Amino acid sequence: MERLLFMDHISKSFPGVKALDDVNIDIYPGEVHALVGENGAGKSTLMKILNGVYQPDKGNIFVNGEKQQIASTKIAQQLGISIVFQEFNLCNAISVANNIFIGRHKKNAFGLVDDKWLFDETMKIMEYMKLSINPNAIVGSLSVAEKQLVEIAKAISTDSKIIVFDEPTSALTDREIERLFEIIKMLKKEGRGIFYISHRMEELDRIADRITILRDGKHIHTCNYKDITKDDMIRMMVGRELNNQYPSDVRTIGDVIFEIESVKVPGLLNIEGIEVREGEIVGFAGLAGAGRTETARAIFGADKSSELKLKINGEDISIRDPKSAINFGIGYLTDDRKNSGLALRLDIEKNINMTGYSMFKKFGLYSQQLADENAEKYVKSVNIKTPSIRQLTQNLSGGNQQKVVLSKWLSKDTKILIFDEPTRGIDVGAKYEIYKLMNEMSEKKKGIIMISSDLPEILGMCDRVYVFCKGKISGMLTRDEMTQERILRLATGVQNSEEES
């Protein structure tokens, strides 16, 4: 069978970083080729070269056996290549339909966009994907999961022969993931080639035909997926053994440091009775839309609530906005680090120090030296991989970006830290480092709330878990009581027959 694509000896460097070093990869019709590696291994860079976003320093690309120079995304599209980016490539101010067909609108006899054609064509794609998203909905009004599905619809609409999925399930519910896998099976039957980037091993078990492993920008191994074990895969990805997925830690849990007496938003939230103790990691579990993130944003003052009663160390506090939350020692690592956690076009130093510029004064004047020393301290302590604190955060891998966000709050010496999906879209090695940092913070008697859709992560890291269902707390479980089944029952509102009796 003739290859759809062959990327031959591809190399690419950025200032201070060699992102790709002599990498080969190919794909055949009707196969899913998984591409794995730690954050910063070069996966996304390789796929952006394929899509014309970057140009390689060395190497050649062959599409259907012919050498091609993919100088732009438009040329990639003409060659039948599309990519579903992990970071959304959508315009929030226009409709779903206009996003899907941007630059490819059909005009009517008057030279204007044919709105009926646009709606009808978008509906065909929605029906193909079995989605209920309104083509006329403004993208900015959609949830993160819905935006991800629009990205997928956009790629499918081009009728591409090669489709790249870059962490496509990071924001999807289990039901939406199942639907995506059904779509991938249909695309395979149609003879399309699919590159699939994911850190979720259980997903690869279900859909991958072949796998290529990258590490530090180098090609490490390619084989049929059925011929490699998970242990070997992880060892090749990280270059070392990871004996335990979650670092062991015996925590000393102190008194209650933070109380959420009530958070109420009519028709959305009716949360009561959450406590967080010193040195404790408390989980928030539940299905997408159950109210976990909405509660965190209300606590942090990012969203308004009709009632918000909070206490720190037994004293009532009043939070009106994020600034007042920060002043009370509350930090929030959002579930969308690129849009609301970082200033991507600023360097590492400015991102780490942005919550506390008043700390860097000398003789009453701002001291760049003190700011640089603080940033260097956290780059070293949390192991941010970068050639310099002057590196723009947009050029860092996802795992290192997450460490920059974490450093920002550690620098402020926050008492309460809310982690919202802290390991979404980062690799097993970076996850382990984030978990270790969370344990170190618990040892410093900070109170930690971890919102996660990954139940093994909740079980592996949390001392207690509050389960959310339809905007309310449906139950609380201690470490000894936690099981995936119990959490899911509480999350879905299904009672155990033994408990009922």
Side-chain angles (χ1 to χ4, degrees):
M1 190 184 299
E2 186 178 347
R3 289 185 290 201
L4 289 173
L5 173 84
F6 177 40
M7 300 181 76
D8 183 29
H9 297 290
I10 302 295
S11 295
K12 178 67 178 178
S13 293
F14 298 101
V17 179
K18 187 148 194 175
L20 294 170
D21 186 5
D22 200 39
V23 173
N24 298 324
I25 195 167
D26 60 7
I27 196 163
Y28 288 85
E31 83 161 336
V32 174
H33 192 146
L35 184 59
V36 301
E38 288 193 277
N39 286 94
K43 308 181 300 295
S44 293
T45 300
L46 184 64
M47 292 298 102
K48 285 178 178 178
I49 287 173
L50 175 60
N51 199 48
V53 176
Y54 299 146
Q55 300 303 304
D57 299 331
K58 294 180 181 178
N60 297 304
I61 300 174
F62 297 88
V63 180
N64 293 321
E66 295 185 8
K67 185 178 174 180
Q68 301 287 350
Q69 184 171 355
I70 307 177
S72 67
T73 56
K74 186 175 181 180
I75 291 173
Q77 194 175 95
Q78 290 169 352
L79 291 170
I81 300 165
S82 63
I83 182 167
V84 180
F85 287 111
Q86 181 181 356
E87 58 272 18
F88 300 141
N89 192 26
L90 300 170
C91 180
N92 284 329
I94 62 177
S95 71
V96 169
N98 277 301
N99 266 279
I100 290 174
F101 287 97
I102 194 164
R104 298 180 289 127
H105 296 100
K106 181 181 177 181
K107 303 286 182 68
N108 59 24
F110 302 101
L112 302 174
V113 173
D114 188 333
D115 290 329
K116 184 178 184 304
W117 174 89
L118 188 62
F119 183 90
D120 291 345
E121 290 300 308
T122 304
M123 280 303 300
K124 288 178 186 176
I125 297 166
M126 294 298 159
E127 288 168 3
Y128 175 84
M129 294 177 64
K130 296 183 180 175
L131 300 178
S132 57
I133 298 173
N134 184 347
N136 291 328
I138 301 300
V139 163
S141 69
L142 303 181
S143 67
V144 173
E146 287 171 329
K147 287 179 182 178
Q148 184 69 82
L149 294 168
V150 172
E151 279 280 16
I152 295 167
K154 185 177 174 183
I156 289 173
S157 74
T158 62
D159 197 29
S160 298
K161 295 300 180 186
I162 300 165
I163 301 177
V164 180
F165 289 94
D166 188 354
E167 295 287 350
T169 63
S170 60
L172 302 184
T173 65
D174 289 342
R175 184 178 298 176
E176 289 161 344
I177 290 171
E178 289 300 321
R179 182 65 203 130
L180 173 62
F181 289 169
E182 290 175 16
I183 291 167
I184 287 174
K185 287 178 183 177
M186 290 190 290
L187 296 174
K188 283 182 64 175
K189 287 180 181 177
E190 293 169 5
R192 307 197 206 195
I194 295 165
F195 284 114
Y196 194 90
I197 301 174
S198 180
H199 298 304
R200 297 182 175 183
M201 304 296 178
E202 68 276 8
E203 293 181 1
L204 304 186
D205 288 343
R206 297 182 57 187
I207 62 171
D209 298 303
R210 278 195 300 155
I211 184 169
T212 288
I213 299 167
L214 300 183
R215 186 175 73 238
D216 298 329
K218 293 182 172 65
H219 177 271
I220 301 300
H221 188 64
T222 296
C223 67
N224 290 327
Y225 187 78
K226 62 182 176 60
D227 295 332
I228 190 169
T229 67
K230 286 188 177 63
D231 287 342
D232 285 342
M233 196 188 313
I234 291 171
R235 179 176 52 78
M236 291 180 192
M237 284 170 60
V238 303
R240 61 189 185 278
E241 298 289 344
L242 280 180
N243 296 321
N244 294 300
Q245 190 174 356
Y246 304 99
S248 59
D249 187 70
V250 179
R251 300 192 187 102
T252 302
I253 297 173
D255 296 331
V256 174
I257 187 174
F258 186 48
E259 296 172 69
I260 305 168
E261 291 189 334
S262 66
V263 182
K264 295 185 180 180
V265 177
L268 184 65
L269 294 177
N270 186 12
I271 303 299
E272 295 179 323
I274 295 175
E275 294 181 340
V276 181
R277 294 172 172 80
E278 286 183 343
E280 184 179 36
I281 299 179
V282 173
F284 281 8
L287 303 178
R292 300 167 303 165
T293 293
E294 291 82 357
T295 299
R297 288 179 61 84
I299 291 167
F300 192 63
D303 292 337
K304 299 299 180 185
S305 52
S306 58
E307 183 177 305
L308 184 63
K309 294 182 180 179
L310 307 173
K311 287 184 178 181
I312 289 182
N313 292 325
E315 295 186 5
D316 293 330
I317 62 170
S318 175
I319 292 178
R320 302 174 303 279
D321 51 34
K323 184 177 180 180
S324 59
I326 292 168
N327 289 338
F328 279 116
I330 300 173
Y332 179 37
L333 286 81
T334 75
D335 62 338
D336 188 357
R337 60 179 174 266
K338 291 182 183 292
N339 287 321
S340 52
L342 293 166
L344 290 173
R345 295 186 181 182
L346 297 182
D347 62 25
I348 292 170
E349 178 268 315
K350 288 184 177 60
N351 272 276
I352 288 176
N353 293 328
M354 66 170 53
T355 58
Y357 278 114
S358 60
M359 299 187 297
F360 311 118
K361 287 187 177 180
K362 201 171 187 179
F363 307 116
L365 300 174
Y366 176 75
S367 170
Q368 187 63 55
Q369 179 185 349
L370 291 177
D372 287 353
E373 288 173 356
N374 186 68
E376 292 281 9
K377 180 178 83 172
Y378 284 102
V379 164
K380 184 177 180 180
S381 66
V382 306
N383 192 27
I384 299 170
K385 295 177 183 177
T386 177
S388 164
I389 60 172
R390 303 290 173 230
Q391 177 77 280
L392 299 183
T393 53
Q394 67 185 8
N395 294 333
L396 299 177
S397 67
N400 284 304
Q401 287 179 345
Q402 191 73 321
K403 290 178 186 177
V404 172
V405 181
L406 179 56
S407 298
K408 175 176 70 176
W409 295 116
L410 293 177
S411 175
K412 188 65 175 173
D413 194 28
T414 44
K415 303 180 187 74
I416 311 297
L417 274 164
I418 305 170
F419 289 79
D420 198 345
E421 302 289 359
T423 62
R424 174 182 286 168
I426 63 177
D427 61 80
V428 288
K431 282 182 180 182
Y432 191 84
E433 291 187 25
I434 295 292
Y435 298 147
K436 281 180 65 179
L437 289 168
M438 291 175 72
N439 283 341
E440 288 171 14
M441 284 181 281
S442 75
E443 289 169 8
K444 294 176 182 177
K445 297 186 177 180
K446 296 182 185 293
I448 297 172
I449 294 172
M450 183 173 76
I451 303 169
S452 179
S453 301
D454 186 342
L455 289 185
E457 184 171 78
I458 291 283
L459 296 172
M461 289 298 297
C462 294
D463 301 293
R464 291 183 300 125
V465 60
Y466 288 92
V467 185
F468 287 62
C469 180
K470 298 178 181 178
K472 296 181 180 180
I473 302 296
S474 55
M476 187 277 290
L477 300 171
T478 64
R479 181 181 283 274
D480 292 338
E481 295 169 334
M482 283 185 231
T483 64
Q484 289 199 45
E485 183 182 0
R486 282 179 175 174
I487 293 173
L488 281 171
R489 284 184 175 278
L490 288 169
T492 55
V494 176
Q495 294 296 317
N496 191 318
S497 58
E498 293 179 4
E499 294 172 355
E500 288 175 340
S501 61

